[in-house]
């Protein structure tokens, strides 16, 4: 939780939290089966409203990144099986459009971003 940082970027706090947890999962800092910090722990540590953290966790659950076990807590979910065919193409397009919109909002050159993604993806395949 020490790696969580909130910025004054105009991006809603719940989105910042959601995205930071997703990045931690993608980077392998949080593995499937790991218990997430409680919503209350995050709210107190980050000095934000509990409902804001709940919204981030709800988004993570909706995305399938987190599984809620009543009475036990939230856990990092197993990654879904790889998509194929039309579903893969549709989801790839959706994610690409979302990423391009985020890049435009931050003033990031989309071609530079795509080159960086290619470099990082190649490094991930090597690991």
């Amino acid at each position: 939780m020490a790696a969580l940082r909130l910025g004054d970027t105009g991006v809603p706090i719940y989105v910042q939290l959601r995205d930071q947890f997703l990045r931690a999962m993608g980077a392998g800092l949080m593995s499937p089966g790991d218990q997430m910090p409680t919503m209350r722990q995050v709210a107190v540590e980050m000095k934000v409203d509990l409902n804001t953290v709940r919204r981030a966790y709800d988004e993570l659950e909706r995305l399938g990144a987190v599984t809620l076990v009543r009475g036990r807590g939230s856990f990092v979910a197993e990654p879904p099986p790889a998509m194929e065919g039309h579903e893969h193409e549709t989801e790839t397009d959706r994610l690409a459009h979302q990423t391009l919109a985020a890049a435009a909002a931050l003033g990031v050159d989309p071609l530079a971003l795509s080159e960086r993604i290619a470099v990082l993806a190649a490094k991930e395949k090597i690991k």
Side-chain angles (χ1 to χ4, degrees):
M1 219 168 46
L4 293 176
R5 300 277 184 261
L6 297 177
D8 190 16
T9 61
V11 175
I13 292 171
Y14 83 93
V15 172
Q16 292 181 53
L17 290 171
R18 178 199 67 202
D19 290 351
Q20 288 182 51
F21 278 122
L22 287 172
R23 279 194 294 277
M25 291 171 198
L29 300 174
M30 300 175 80
S31 301
D34 286 352
Q35 187 165 14
M36 300 281 292
T38 67
M39 290 181 227
R40 186 169 307 283
Q41 285 173 323
V42 175
V44 169
E45 174 96 10
M46 303 306 299
K47 297 178 176 69
V48 297
D49 187 77
L50 180 60
N51 288 324
T52 300
V53 179
R54 179 171 285 117
R55 188 165 180 192
Y57 273 54
D58 287 347
E59 286 271 317
L60 290 168
E61 187 176 20
R62 184 184 62 75
L63 291 169
V66 168
T67 303
L68 176 66
V69 180
R70 299 279 179 216
R72 290 196 49 227
S74 298
F75 297 84
V76 177
E78 291 290 332
M83 293 181 201
E84 295 180 8
H86 182 64
E87 181 184 27
H88 180 269
E89 184 178 330
T90 300
E91 188 59 25
T92 301
D93 283 349
R94 186 197 65 75
L95 186 56
H97 286 292
Q98 180 182 355
T99 302
L100 287 170
L106 295 171
V108 174
D109 175 44
L111 293 178
L113 176 61
S114 69
E115 290 171 7
R116 187 70 185 140
I117 289 172
V119 167
L120 292 173
K123 283 182 182 178
E124 286 296 316
K125 284 188 177 184
I126 293 172
K127 289 182 182 178

